[in-house]
């Protein structure tokens, strides 16, 4: 196989494409950094507004360890550029990865309707 096409949806209807061959990785193309830079910027902006201790990244892509590394690297770079010393939040992955949205929906259902068959459950 001479190459493969990688498509990453970055939201807002725009999609970035990268042509990969067997000898190069996403990091060589800088695609992963381009994808995670806006995420790191959003995390830093939210850090300034809400001051949380931790951000959790969910979804299927969160299973990729290089994603978290790239977000942290970009975030560290943004903090280094900022002239004032600010507390830095931790960035981690959600415990349920791709199922995080389902767990949130279930938890909301339990809180709203009292669980299944009228039984309260803890989640």
């Amino acid at each position: 196989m001479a190459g493969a096409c990688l498509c990453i949806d970055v939201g807002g209807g725009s999609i970035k494409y990268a042509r990969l061959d067997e000898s190069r990785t996403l990091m060589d193309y800088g695609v992963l950094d381009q994808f995670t830079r806006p995420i790191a910027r959003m995390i830093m902006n939210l850090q300034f507004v809400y001051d949380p201790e931790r951000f959790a990244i969910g979804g299927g892509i969160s299973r990729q360890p290089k994603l978290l590394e790239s977000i942290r690297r970009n975030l560290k770079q943004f903090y280094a550029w900022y002239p004032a010393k600010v507390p830095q939040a931790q960035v981690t992955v959600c415990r349920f990865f791709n199922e995080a949205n389902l767990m949130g929906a279930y938890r909301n259902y339990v809180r709203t309707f009292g669980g299944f068959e009228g039984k309260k459950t803890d989640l």
Side-chain angles (χ1 to χ4, degrees):
M1 180 166 98
C5 183
L6 171 76
C7 304
I8 299 176
D9 184 357
V10 294
S14 63
I15 298 176
K16 298 206 179 208
Y17 296 93
R19 196 82 177 138
L20 304 177
D21 60 35
E22 294 171 358
S23 64
R24 299 190 71 182
T25 66
L26 283 175
M27 296 305 290
D28 294 331
Y29 285 96
V31 172
L32 191 57
D33 270 343
Q34 285 180 334
F35 177 69
T36 59
R37 194 171 295 122
I39 296 170
R41 186 178 304 118
M42 285 184 270
I43 288 172
M44 189 169 181
N45 289 338
L46 289 169
Q47 171 70 28
F48 289 153
V49 174
Y50 296 109
D51 194 27
E53 293 179 13
R54 180 176 303 141
F55 288 90
I57 307 295
I61 197 168
S62 64
R63 288 190 184 270
Q64 302 298 325
K66 290 203 180 283
L67 175 86
L68 194 59
E69 291 171 19
S70 183
I71 291 172
R72 287 177 177 158
R73 184 176 45 257
N74 279 305
L75 194 56
K76 187 175 181 179
Q77 188 176 36
F78 285 135
Y79 281 122
W81 290 341
Y82 194 72
K85 200 97 162 144
V86 293
Q88 298 180 17
Q90 296 175 358
V91 180
T92 186
V93 294
C94 290
R95 184 170 101 193
F96 297 110
F97 297 103
N98 199 34
E99 289 78 28
N101 62 334
L102 298 175
M103 298 305 289
Y106 174 72
R107 184 173 187 186
N108 183 50
Y109 178 84
V110 169
R111 284 184 171 174
T112 303
F113 300 107
F116 294 100
E117 300 175 11
K119 297 179 183 176
K120 283 258 186 196
T121 56
D122 290 330
L123 180 65

